[in-house]
Amino acid sequence: MSSYIISPCSSLNGEIEVHTAKNAVLPLLACGLMTKEPLTVRNVPDLTDVHNMLLLLRDCGCEAMNENGTVTICAKNPRMPTSEEKMRALRASVLVMGPLMARTGRASVSFPGGCAIGQRPIDLHRKGLMALGAEEITENGKTYLEGRLVGKSVYLDLPSVGATENIVMAAATEEGITRIENAAKEPEIADLCRCLCEMGARIRGAGTGTIVIEGVKELKGADYTPIPDRIEAATYACAAAGCGGRVMIKGARAEHMRAVIYKLREMGMQTRESPEGLLVSGRARKPIEVRTLSYPGFPTDAQALMMAVSCQAAGTSVFMETVFENRFMHVSELTRMGARIRVENRVAVVEGVKRLRGASVTGSDLRAGAALMIAGLMAEGETLLIDEEEHIPRGYQRLPEALAALGARITKA
Ligand code: EPZ
Protein backbone atom coordinates (compact mmCIF):
# COMPACT_ATOMS: atom_id res chain seq x y z
CA MET A 1 0.00 0.00 0.00
CA SER A 2 1.25 3.53 -0.74
CA SER A 3 0.10 6.83 0.74
CA TYR A 4 0.81 10.34 -0.43
CA ILE A 5 0.72 13.67 1.43
CA ILE A 6 -0.49 16.34 -0.98
CA SER A 7 -0.03 20.04 -0.19
CA PRO A 8 -2.19 22.86 -1.58
CA CYS A 9 -0.86 24.14 -4.90
CA SER A 10 -1.54 27.68 -6.10
CA SER A 11 -0.52 26.98 -9.70
CA LEU A 12 1.25 24.47 -11.94
CA ASN A 13 3.76 25.73 -14.49
CA GLY A 14 6.35 24.33 -16.86
CA GLU A 15 6.46 21.40 -19.24
CA ILE A 16 5.95 17.67 -18.85
CA GLU A 17 6.44 14.88 -21.37
CA VAL A 18 3.80 12.15 -21.71
CA HIS A 19 4.77 8.50 -22.07
CA THR A 20 3.46 6.04 -24.65
CA ALA A 21 -0.14 4.99 -23.99
CA LYS A 22 -0.72 2.20 -21.45
CA ASN A 23 -3.85 1.18 -23.38
CA ALA A 24 -1.89 0.94 -26.62
CA VAL A 25 1.14 -0.83 -25.11
CA LEU A 26 -0.83 -3.64 -23.44
CA PRO A 27 -2.50 -4.94 -26.67
CA LEU A 28 0.77 -4.41 -28.55
CA LEU A 29 2.61 -6.64 -26.08
CA ALA A 30 -0.13 -9.28 -26.44
CA CYS A 31 0.34 -8.94 -30.21
CA GLY A 32 3.86 -10.34 -29.71
CA LEU A 33 2.13 -13.74 -29.43
CA MET A 34 1.06 -13.44 -33.08
CA THR A 35 4.46 -14.26 -34.62
CA LYS A 36 7.42 -16.51 -34.03
CA GLU A 37 9.71 -13.63 -35.03
CA PRO A 38 10.70 -10.91 -32.53
CA LEU A 39 8.29 -8.01 -32.02
CA THR A 40 10.01 -4.94 -30.51
CA VAL A 41 7.87 -2.28 -28.80
CA ARG A 42 9.78 0.90 -27.91
CA ASN A 43 9.44 3.57 -25.19
CA VAL A 44 7.31 1.25 -23.05
CA PRO A 45 6.49 3.02 -19.76
CA ASP A 46 7.53 1.57 -16.40
CA LEU A 47 4.05 0.50 -15.19
CA THR A 48 2.88 -2.35 -12.97
CA ASP A 49 0.41 -3.38 -15.70
CA VAL A 50 3.29 -3.67 -18.19
CA HIS A 51 5.33 -5.74 -15.74
CA ASN A 52 2.36 -8.06 -15.13
CA MET A 53 1.64 -8.40 -18.86
CA LEU A 54 5.26 -9.49 -19.45
CA LEU A 55 4.99 -12.07 -16.65
CA LEU A 56 1.81 -13.40 -18.28
CA LEU A 57 3.41 -13.54 -21.74
CA ARG A 58 6.34 -15.53 -20.33
CA ASP A 59 3.75 -17.89 -18.83
CA CYS A 60 2.38 -18.22 -22.39
CA GLY A 61 5.78 -19.50 -23.54
CA CYS A 62 7.16 -16.19 -24.84
CA GLU A 63 10.63 -14.82 -24.40
CA ALA A 64 9.93 -11.30 -23.14
CA MET A 65 12.78 -8.90 -22.41
CA ASN A 66 12.46 -5.31 -21.23
CA GLU A 67 15.66 -3.27 -21.59
CA ASN A 68 14.93 0.22 -20.25
CA GLY A 69 11.59 0.37 -21.99
CA THR A 70 12.58 -1.42 -25.20
CA VAL A 71 10.54 -4.60 -24.99
CA THR A 72 11.14 -7.57 -27.28
CA ILE A 73 8.67 -10.45 -27.38
CA CYS A 74 9.39 -13.71 -29.16
CA ALA A 75 6.70 -16.43 -29.27
CA LYS A 76 8.18 -19.45 -31.00
CA ASN A 77 5.95 -21.95 -29.24
CA PRO A 78 3.06 -20.15 -27.57
CA ARG A 79 0.80 -22.00 -25.12
CA MET A 80 -2.09 -21.18 -22.82
CA PRO A 81 -1.03 -19.55 -19.54
CA THR A 82 -0.90 -21.91 -16.57
CA SER A 83 -1.07 -19.37 -13.77
CA GLU A 84 -4.53 -18.09 -12.77
CA GLU A 85 -2.73 -15.58 -10.56
CA LYS A 86 -0.94 -14.04 -13.54
CA MET A 87 -4.21 -13.83 -15.48
CA ARG A 88 -5.96 -12.17 -12.57
CA ALA A 89 -3.15 -9.67 -12.05
CA LEU A 90 -4.50 -7.38 -14.75
CA ARG A 91 -7.75 -6.89 -16.62
CA ALA A 92 -5.92 -6.70 -19.93
CA SER A 93 -4.83 -10.34 -19.61
CA VAL A 94 -7.94 -11.11 -21.67
CA LEU A 95 -6.01 -9.74 -24.67
CA VAL A 96 -4.02 -12.97 -25.02
CA MET A 97 -7.22 -14.77 -26.04
CA GLY A 98 -7.29 -13.67 -29.68
CA PRO A 99 -3.57 -14.27 -30.35
CA LEU A 100 -3.67 -17.72 -28.68
CA MET A 101 -6.70 -18.70 -30.79
CA ALA A 102 -4.78 -17.55 -33.88
CA ARG A 103 -1.54 -19.37 -33.01
CA THR A 104 -2.69 -22.49 -31.14
CA GLY A 105 -6.41 -22.84 -31.87
CA ARG A 106 -7.14 -22.88 -28.15
CA ALA A 107 -7.58 -20.23 -25.42
CA SER A 108 -8.74 -20.27 -21.84
CA VAL A 109 -11.69 -18.02 -21.03
CA SER A 110 -11.15 -17.82 -17.31
CA PHE A 111 -10.11 -14.22 -17.09
CA PRO A 112 -10.31 -11.57 -14.39
CA GLY A 113 -13.81 -10.69 -13.31
CA GLY A 114 -14.98 -7.34 -12.10
CA CYS A 115 -13.13 -4.52 -10.42
CA ALA A 116 -14.07 -1.25 -8.71
CA ILE A 117 -15.49 0.31 -11.87
CA GLY A 118 -17.66 -2.57 -12.96
CA GLN A 119 -18.32 -6.17 -13.89
CA ARG A 120 -15.91 -6.20 -16.87
CA PRO A 121 -17.58 -9.20 -18.56
CA ILE A 122 -15.94 -10.82 -21.60
CA ASP A 123 -19.11 -12.05 -23.33
CA LEU A 124 -18.41 -9.93 -26.43
CA HIS A 125 -14.88 -11.34 -26.70
CA ARG A 126 -16.23 -14.91 -26.52
CA LYS A 127 -19.16 -14.20 -28.86
CA GLY A 128 -16.86 -12.58 -31.42
CA LEU A 129 -14.38 -15.48 -31.46
CA MET A 130 -17.21 -18.03 -31.58
CA ALA A 131 -18.66 -16.16 -34.57
CA LEU A 132 -15.31 -16.89 -36.27
CA GLY A 133 -15.72 -20.59 -35.58
CA ALA A 134 -14.34 -21.13 -32.07
CA GLU A 135 -16.28 -23.61 -29.95
CA GLU A 136 -16.65 -23.43 -26.18
CA ILE A 137 -15.63 -26.61 -24.32
CA THR A 138 -15.28 -27.45 -20.63
CA GLU A 139 -12.47 -29.69 -19.45
CA ASN A 140 -11.57 -30.43 -15.83
CA GLY A 141 -13.93 -27.69 -14.71
CA LYS A 142 -12.32 -25.05 -16.90
CA THR A 143 -13.83 -23.41 -19.99
CA TYR A 144 -11.87 -23.03 -23.20
CA LEU A 145 -12.44 -21.83 -26.74
CA GLU A 146 -10.98 -24.00 -29.43
CA GLY A 147 -11.13 -24.58 -33.17
CA ARG A 148 -9.88 -23.31 -36.48
CA LEU A 149 -11.06 -19.78 -37.18
CA VAL A 150 -12.43 -18.68 -40.54
CA GLY A 151 -13.28 -15.20 -41.77
CA LYS A 152 -16.85 -14.11 -41.01
CA SER A 153 -18.88 -10.97 -40.26
CA VAL A 154 -19.02 -10.09 -36.56
CA TYR A 155 -21.38 -7.54 -34.98
CA LEU A 156 -20.41 -6.15 -31.55
CA ASP A 157 -23.45 -5.27 -29.39
CA LEU A 158 -21.20 -2.68 -27.70
CA PRO A 159 -18.12 -1.01 -29.26
CA SER A 160 -15.88 -2.85 -26.79
CA VAL A 161 -12.20 -1.82 -27.02
CA GLY A 162 -10.83 -5.15 -25.80
CA ALA A 163 -13.24 -7.30 -27.82
CA THR A 164 -12.36 -5.35 -30.99
CA GLU A 165 -8.65 -5.86 -30.30
CA ASN A 166 -9.05 -9.59 -29.63
CA ILE A 167 -11.08 -10.20 -32.78
CA VAL A 168 -8.71 -8.16 -34.98
CA MET A 169 -5.73 -10.17 -33.73
CA ALA A 170 -7.54 -13.52 -34.05
CA ALA A 171 -8.65 -12.65 -37.61
CA ALA A 172 -5.24 -11.43 -38.83
CA THR A 173 -3.95 -14.92 -39.71
CA GLU A 174 -7.16 -16.87 -40.21
CA GLU A 175 -8.44 -17.97 -43.61
CA GLY A 176 -10.81 -15.58 -45.37
CA ILE A 177 -12.09 -12.10 -44.69
CA THR A 178 -13.48 -10.89 -41.35
CA ARG A 179 -15.66 -7.81 -41.06
CA ILE A 180 -16.24 -6.30 -37.62
CA GLU A 181 -19.30 -4.04 -37.38
CA ASN A 182 -19.79 -1.60 -34.49
CA ALA A 183 -16.07 -1.89 -33.75
CA ALA A 184 -14.54 0.46 -31.16
CA LYS A 185 -12.74 3.47 -32.72
CA GLU A 186 -10.22 4.32 -30.00
CA PRO A 187 -6.80 5.55 -31.26
CA GLU A 188 -5.20 2.62 -29.43
CA ILE A 189 -7.02 0.22 -31.78
CA ALA A 190 -5.75 2.06 -34.85
CA ASP A 191 -2.28 1.84 -33.28
CA LEU A 192 -2.58 -1.93 -32.85
CA CYS A 193 -3.78 -2.29 -36.46
CA ARG A 194 -0.87 -0.16 -37.71
CA CYS A 195 1.57 -2.46 -35.93
CA LEU A 196 -0.20 -5.58 -37.26
CA CYS A 197 0.05 -4.17 -40.81
CA GLU A 198 3.79 -3.62 -40.29
CA MET A 199 3.87 -7.32 -39.34
CA GLY A 200 2.23 -8.15 -42.68
CA ALA A 201 -1.46 -8.15 -41.76
CA ARG A 202 -4.05 -6.79 -44.20
CA ILE A 203 -6.48 -4.52 -42.30
CA ARG A 204 -8.74 -1.73 -43.55
CA GLY A 205 -10.99 0.68 -41.60
CA ALA A 206 -8.99 0.77 -38.34
CA GLY A 207 -10.32 3.65 -36.22
CA THR A 208 -13.74 3.43 -37.86
CA GLY A 209 -16.82 1.44 -36.81
CA THR A 210 -16.20 -1.15 -39.55
CA ILE A 211 -12.87 -2.98 -39.67
CA VAL A 212 -12.11 -5.47 -42.46
CA ILE A 213 -9.31 -8.00 -41.96
CA GLU A 214 -8.09 -10.22 -44.80
CA GLY A 215 -6.31 -13.16 -43.18
CA VAL A 216 -2.69 -13.84 -44.20
CA LYS A 217 -0.73 -17.05 -43.72
CA GLU A 218 1.58 -15.79 -41.01
CA LEU A 219 2.96 -12.56 -39.56
CA LYS A 220 6.57 -11.44 -39.31
CA GLY A 221 8.26 -9.44 -36.57
CA ALA A 222 8.31 -5.63 -36.39
CA ASP A 223 9.88 -2.73 -34.52
CA TYR A 224 7.11 -0.41 -33.29
CA THR A 225 6.71 2.78 -31.23
CA PRO A 226 3.22 3.27 -29.70
CA ILE A 227 1.18 6.49 -29.65
CA PRO A 228 1.34 8.89 -26.67
CA ASP A 229 -1.00 8.47 -23.70
CA ARG A 230 -4.03 10.71 -24.19
CA ILE A 231 -5.34 9.98 -20.68
CA GLU A 232 -2.00 10.78 -19.03
CA ALA A 233 -2.06 14.03 -21.03
CA ALA A 234 -5.63 14.68 -19.85
CA THR A 235 -4.46 14.09 -16.27
CA TYR A 236 -1.85 16.87 -16.48
CA ALA A 237 -4.31 19.16 -18.30
CA CYS A 238 -6.94 18.65 -15.58
CA ALA A 239 -4.36 19.24 -12.83
CA ALA A 240 -3.45 22.56 -14.48
CA ALA A 241 -7.15 23.40 -14.91
CA GLY A 242 -7.86 22.73 -11.24
CA CYS A 243 -4.85 24.62 -9.82
CA GLY A 244 -4.44 27.24 -12.50
CA GLY A 245 -1.18 27.85 -14.35
CA ARG A 246 0.45 27.22 -17.71
CA VAL A 247 1.59 23.73 -18.67
CA MET A 248 3.09 22.45 -21.92
CA ILE A 249 2.24 18.77 -22.29
CA LYS A 250 4.98 17.58 -24.61
CA GLY A 251 4.20 14.75 -26.99
CA ALA A 252 0.42 15.02 -26.46
CA ARG A 253 -1.57 14.57 -29.68
CA ALA A 254 -4.51 16.99 -29.63
CA GLU A 255 -6.30 15.04 -32.36
CA HIS A 256 -6.69 12.16 -29.84
CA MET A 257 -8.05 14.48 -27.13
CA ARG A 258 -10.70 16.60 -28.89
CA ALA A 259 -13.51 15.95 -26.38
CA VAL A 260 -11.27 16.69 -23.38
CA ILE A 261 -9.91 19.87 -25.01
CA TYR A 262 -13.40 21.16 -25.79
CA LYS A 263 -14.52 20.58 -22.22
CA LEU A 264 -11.43 22.31 -20.79
CA ARG A 265 -12.14 25.30 -23.01
CA GLU A 266 -15.80 25.30 -21.92
CA MET A 267 -14.51 25.54 -18.33
CA GLY A 268 -12.50 28.63 -19.27
CA MET A 269 -9.05 27.19 -20.06
CA GLN A 270 -6.99 28.36 -23.04
CA THR A 271 -5.41 25.59 -25.12
CA ARG A 272 -2.92 25.75 -27.98
CA GLU A 273 -1.91 22.78 -30.12
CA SER A 274 1.45 22.47 -31.84
CA PRO A 275 3.60 19.65 -33.29
CA GLU A 276 5.42 19.74 -29.92
CA GLY A 277 2.27 19.00 -27.92
CA LEU A 278 -0.59 20.75 -26.12
CA LEU A 279 -0.28 23.98 -24.12
CA VAL A 280 -3.01 24.54 -21.49
CA SER A 281 -3.24 27.75 -19.48
CA GLY A 282 -5.61 29.67 -17.20
CA ARG A 283 -7.83 28.30 -14.48
CA ALA A 284 -11.07 26.33 -14.97
CA ARG A 285 -13.91 28.19 -13.36
CA LYS A 286 -17.05 27.40 -15.34
CA PRO A 287 -19.32 24.37 -14.78
CA ILE A 288 -19.75 21.75 -17.51
CA GLU A 289 -21.92 18.88 -18.69
CA VAL A 290 -20.03 15.67 -19.53
CA ARG A 291 -21.45 12.47 -21.02
CA THR A 292 -18.88 9.70 -21.32
CA LEU A 293 -19.07 7.71 -24.57
CA SER A 294 -16.81 5.44 -26.60
CA TYR A 295 -14.34 7.29 -28.82
CA PRO A 296 -14.52 9.97 -30.15
CA GLY A 297 -16.95 10.82 -27.31
CA PHE A 298 -15.68 12.04 -23.94
CA PRO A 299 -13.41 9.27 -22.54
CA THR A 300 -14.68 7.48 -19.42
CA ASP A 301 -11.07 7.36 -18.18
CA ALA A 302 -11.06 11.17 -17.89
CA GLN A 303 -14.45 11.43 -16.11
CA ALA A 304 -13.08 11.35 -12.56
CA LEU A 305 -10.28 13.76 -13.51
CA MET A 306 -12.73 16.30 -14.92
CA MET A 307 -15.11 15.86 -11.98
CA ALA A 308 -12.33 16.80 -9.55
CA VAL A 309 -11.80 20.03 -11.47
CA SER A 310 -15.54 20.80 -11.54
CA CYS A 311 -15.75 20.62 -7.70
CA GLN A 312 -14.57 24.27 -7.52
CA ALA A 313 -16.44 25.54 -10.57
CA ALA A 314 -18.74 28.55 -10.14
CA GLY A 315 -21.96 26.65 -10.76
CA THR A 316 -23.44 23.17 -11.15
CA SER A 317 -21.86 20.50 -13.39
CA VAL A 318 -23.43 17.24 -14.54
CA PHE A 319 -21.62 13.98 -15.35
CA MET A 320 -23.28 11.05 -17.10
CA GLU A 321 -21.18 7.86 -17.01
CA THR A 322 -22.58 5.71 -19.83
CA VAL A 323 -19.64 3.28 -20.28
CA PHE A 324 -19.07 1.60 -16.89
CA GLU A 325 -21.78 0.83 -14.39
CA ASN A 326 -19.88 1.76 -11.25
CA ARG A 327 -17.42 4.52 -12.05
CA PHE A 328 -18.36 7.05 -9.36
CA MET A 329 -16.32 5.51 -6.52
CA HIS A 330 -14.34 8.77 -6.28
CA VAL A 331 -17.52 10.73 -5.38
CA SER A 332 -17.61 9.63 -1.72
CA GLU A 333 -13.93 10.59 -1.35
CA LEU A 334 -14.39 13.99 -3.02
CA THR A 335 -17.35 14.56 -0.67
CA ARG A 336 -15.04 13.96 2.30
CA MET A 337 -13.03 16.90 0.92
CA GLY A 338 -16.09 19.14 1.02
CA ALA A 339 -17.32 18.60 -2.53
CA ARG A 340 -21.09 18.77 -2.99
CA ILE A 341 -22.07 15.91 -5.29
CA ARG A 342 -25.36 14.03 -5.67
CA VAL A 343 -25.40 10.70 -7.53
CA GLU A 344 -28.50 9.20 -9.08
CA ASN A 345 -27.69 5.93 -10.95
CA ARG A 346 -25.21 6.94 -13.66
CA VAL A 347 -25.63 10.69 -13.21
CA ALA A 348 -23.58 12.82 -10.81
CA VAL A 349 -24.54 16.46 -10.14
CA VAL A 350 -21.66 18.55 -8.80
CA GLU A 351 -22.42 21.88 -7.12
CA GLY A 352 -19.19 23.85 -7.15
CA VAL A 353 -17.81 25.04 -3.81
CA LYS A 354 -15.36 27.87 -3.19
CA ARG A 355 -12.57 25.59 -2.02
CA LEU A 356 -12.15 21.90 -1.22
CA ARG A 357 -10.50 21.10 2.09
CA GLY A 358 -7.74 18.58 2.66
CA ALA A 359 -8.79 15.21 4.09
CA SER A 360 -7.74 11.56 4.31
CA VAL A 361 -9.08 9.82 1.17
CA THR A 362 -8.70 6.44 -0.54
CA GLY A 363 -8.24 5.77 -4.26
CA SER A 364 -10.50 2.90 -5.42
CA ASP A 365 -9.15 2.58 -8.97
CA LEU A 366 -6.48 4.01 -11.22
CA ARG A 367 -8.25 7.15 -12.45
CA ALA A 368 -10.02 7.80 -9.12
CA GLY A 369 -6.58 7.89 -7.47
CA ALA A 370 -5.32 10.41 -10.01
CA ALA A 371 -8.48 12.51 -9.60
CA LEU A 372 -8.05 12.61 -5.81
CA MET A 373 -4.42 13.67 -6.28
CA ILE A 374 -5.67 16.59 -8.40
CA ALA A 375 -8.33 17.43 -5.79
CA GLY A 376 -5.61 17.41 -3.09
CA LEU A 377 -3.61 19.98 -5.06
CA MET A 378 -6.73 22.18 -5.38
CA ALA A 379 -7.75 21.90 -1.70
CA GLU A 380 -6.93 24.09 1.29
CA GLY A 381 -4.87 22.15 3.83
CA GLU A 382 -3.04 18.86 3.38
CA THR A 383 -4.60 15.72 1.92
CA LEU A 384 -3.57 12.16 2.73
CA LEU A 385 -4.24 9.97 -0.32
CA ILE A 386 -4.21 6.26 0.52
CA ASP A 387 -3.58 4.08 -2.55
CA GLU A 388 -4.40 0.77 -0.86
CA GLU A 389 -4.00 -1.45 -3.90
CA GLU A 390 -1.22 0.52 -5.58
CA HIS A 391 -3.54 1.55 -8.41
CA ILE A 392 -1.63 4.69 -9.42
CA PRO A 393 1.67 2.96 -10.42
CA ARG A 394 -0.41 0.56 -12.52
CA GLY A 395 -1.14 3.28 -15.05
CA TYR A 396 1.16 6.21 -14.37
CA GLN A 397 4.95 6.26 -14.44
CA ARG A 398 5.78 8.28 -11.29
CA LEU A 399 2.74 10.65 -11.34
CA PRO A 400 3.71 12.46 -8.09
CA GLU A 401 7.18 13.26 -9.46
CA ALA A 402 5.69 14.48 -12.74
CA LEU A 403 3.33 16.86 -10.92
CA ALA A 404 6.16 17.94 -8.60
CA ALA A 405 8.15 18.96 -11.69
CA LEU A 406 5.32 21.40 -12.38
CA GLY A 407 5.36 22.87 -8.87
CA ALA A 408 3.24 20.45 -6.83
CA ARG A 409 4.36 19.26 -3.37
CA ILE A 410 3.51 15.56 -3.01
CA THR A 411 5.49 13.33 -0.67
CA LYS A 412 5.17 9.62 0.08
CA ALA A 413 3.74 9.20 3.58
C1 EPZ B 1 -10.43 -0.46 -22.21
O1 EPZ B 1 -11.00 -1.42 -21.32
C2 EPZ B 1 -9.41 0.31 -21.40
N1 EPZ B 1 -8.38 -0.61 -20.92
C3 EPZ B 1 -10.09 0.99 -20.21
O2 EPZ B 1 -9.10 1.76 -19.53
C4 EPZ B 1 -11.17 1.94 -20.76
O3 EPZ B 1 -11.85 2.54 -19.67
C5 EPZ B 1 -12.15 1.14 -21.62
O4 EPZ B 1 -11.44 0.46 -22.69
C6 EPZ B 1 -13.21 2.05 -22.27
O5 EPZ B 1 -12.58 3.02 -23.05
C7 EPZ B 1 -7.41 -1.03 -21.79
O6 EPZ B 1 -7.42 -0.67 -22.97
C8 EPZ B 1 -6.36 -1.93 -21.23
P1 EPZ B 1 -14.52 -2.13 -23.05
P2 EPZ B 1 -11.97 -2.59 -21.90
O7 EPZ B 1 -14.47 -3.56 -23.41
O8 EPZ B 1 -11.48 -3.04 -23.22
C9 EPZ B 1 -18.69 -3.65 -21.42
C10 EPZ B 1 -7.95 2.59 -17.66
O9 EPZ B 1 -8.27 3.27 -16.67
N2 EPZ B 1 -18.30 -4.95 -21.98
O10 EPZ B 1 -14.55 -1.09 -24.12
O11 EPZ B 1 -12.12 -3.59 -20.82
C11 EPZ B 1 -17.85 -3.29 -20.21
O12 EPZ B 1 -18.37 -3.89 -19.04
C12 EPZ B 1 -8.83 1.46 -18.14
O13 EPZ B 1 -6.91 2.78 -18.35
C13 EPZ B 1 -19.23 -5.98 -22.00
O14 EPZ B 1 -20.37 -5.83 -21.56
O15 EPZ B 1 -13.32 -1.77 -22.07
C14 EPZ B 1 -17.95 -1.79 -20.19
O16 EPZ B 1 -19.16 -1.43 -19.54
C15 EPZ B 1 -10.09 1.34 -17.28
N3 EPZ B 1 -18.85 -7.19 -22.51
C16 EPZ B 1 -18.03 -1.41 -21.67
O17 EPZ B 1 -18.41 -2.61 -22.37
C17 EPZ B 1 -17.59 -7.42 -23.00
O18 EPZ B 1 -17.31 -8.53 -23.47
C18 EPZ B 1 -16.72 -0.92 -22.26
O19 EPZ B 1 -15.76 -1.93 -22.05
C19 EPZ B 1 -16.66 -6.36 -22.96
C20 EPZ B 1 -17.03 -5.13 -22.45
Side-chain angles (χ1 to χ4, degrees):
M1 176 177 94
S2 290
S3 298
Y4 305 91
I5 296 173
I6 305 156
S7 303
C9 175
S10 55
S11 79
L12 290 173
N13 296 284
E15 60 180 50
I16 189 77
E17 179 124 24
V18 289
H19 300 92
T20 56
K22 165 178 84 77
N23 293 348
V25 163
L26 294 174
L28 285 167
L29 296 181
C31 187
L33 279 164
M34 291 298 295
T35 170
K36 57 181 180 300
E37 296 182 11
L39 171 65
T40 296
V41 183
R42 295 191 179 276
N43 303 346
V44 171
D46 175 15
L47 306 174
T48 319
D49 272 6
V50 166
H51 174 71
N52 286 330
M53 179 59 95
L54 294 178
L55 290 177
L56 174 65
L57 290 172
R58 289 183 192 117
D59 191 25
C60 291
C62 294
E63 283 169 41
M65 279 83 70
N66 183 354
E67 282 156 41
N68 296 325
T70 298
V71 173
T72 303
I73 315 269
C74 206
K76 289 195 169 54
N77 301 297
R79 63 166 189 264
M80 275 197 303
T82 53
S83 153
E84 290 272 336
E85 187 205 343
K86 288 189 177 64
M87 284 195 272
R88 294 203 164 277
L90 80 156
R91 219 97 10 234
S93 60
V94 69
L95 295 173
V96 303
M97 234 167 124
L100 286 175
M101 280 308 295
R103 288 292 302 278
T104 71
R106 195 169 160 85
S108 153
V109 287
S110 62
F111 282 91
C115 63
I117 63 176
Q119 267 270 310
R120 314 298 292 271
I122 61 166
D123 55 307
L124 299 177
H125 299 245
R126 280 179 34 244
K127 212 173 127 195
L129 294 172
M130 290 170 79
L132 300 182
E135 285 182 15
E136 198 160 74
I137 60 158
T138 304
E139 209 173 76
N140 311 328
K142 285 196 178 156
T143 311
Y144 301 94
L145 287 181
E146 74 171 29
R148 223 176 116 60
L149 303 179
V150 288
K152 284 275 183 352
S153 279
V154 180
Y155 173 77
L156 287 176
D157 299 347
L158 279 169
S160 156
V161 172
T164 302
E165 290 165 341
N166 254 331
I167 297 164
V168 164
M169 289 191 279
T173 56
E174 80 197 356
E175 212 177 295
I177 294 183
T178 296
R179 189 184 173 83
I180 309 174
E181 299 284 0
N182 198 27
K185 306 175 191 167
E186 273 66 6
E188 292 78 20
I189 290 169
D191 209 32
L192 173 65
C193 292
R194 241 188 317 278
C195 179
L196 280 163
C197 289
E198 288 192 14
M199 296 165 73
R202 291 203 197 113
I203 302 172
R204 293 194 316 277
T208 75
T210 302
I211 303 179
V212 179
I213 305 108
E214 185 189 336
V216 295
K217 197 160 170 11
E218 61 179 12
L219 297 179
K220 55 188 194 308
D223 187 323
Y224 196 77
T225 301
I227 55 171
D229 196 319
R230 59 195 169 99
I231 305 300
E232 182 189 6
T235 306
Y236 300 136
C238 287
C243 298
R246 182 184 169 82
V247 173
M248 177 61 184
I249 306 166
K250 291 182 73 177
R253 286 185 46 184
E255 69 270 29
H256 293 163
M257 305 171 63
R258 287 275 162 252
V260 170
I261 291 171
Y262 281 122
K263 288 298 165 188
L264 288 169
R265 295 173 73 87
E266 275 180 42
M267 294 185 89
M269 292 299 283
Q270 287 80 48
T271 64
R272 199 172 67 221
E273 312 166 17
S274 69
E276 203 195 356
L278 175 69
L279 177 68
V280 295
S281 57
R283 182 188 295 273
R285 272 277 167 261
K286 299 177 190 154
I288 37 156
E289 284 214 1
V290 168
R291 179 193 299 266
T292 65
L293 289 166
S294 61
Y295 193 87
F298 189 91
T300 173
D301 294 347
Q303 177 256 109
L305 309 171
M306 196 59 94
M307 186 183 289
V309 179
S310 74
C311 288
Q312 291 184 174
T316 301
S317 300
V318 181
F319 291 81
M320 283 152 270
E321 173 53 61
T322 74
V323 177
F324 285 104
E325 70 270 25
N326 189 34
R327 205 166 194 175
F328 285 146
M329 307 283 277
H330 44 282
V331 167
S332 57
E333 302 308 290
L334 289 169
T335 306
R336 291 166 60 83
M337 299 177 73
R340 296 175 61 182
I341 308 172
R342 280 193 335 275
V343 172
E344 194 89 18
N345 299 325
R346 292 199 181 195
V347 178
V349 178
V350 182
E351 205 183 314
V353 296
K354 194 143 181 49
R355 191 83 189 270
L356 294 172
R357 56 175 188 274
S360 167
V361 291
T362 302
S364 55
D365 63 87
L366 169 59
R367 307 303 176 183
L372 291 167
M373 199 168 271
I374 292 173
L377 296 175
M378 295 165 61
E380 191 166 28
E382 279 193 344
T383 291
L384 174 67
L385 169 57
I386 300 160
D387 187 8
E388 246 158 22
E389 292 169 41
E390 301 279 352
H391 289 294
I392 292 176
R394 272 193 39 230
Y396 292 97
Q397 180 167 324
R398 291 186 281 285
L399 180 61
E401 291 83 346
L403 292 169
L406 298 170
R409 262 185 314 125
I410 302 174
T411 53
K412 269 227 163 168

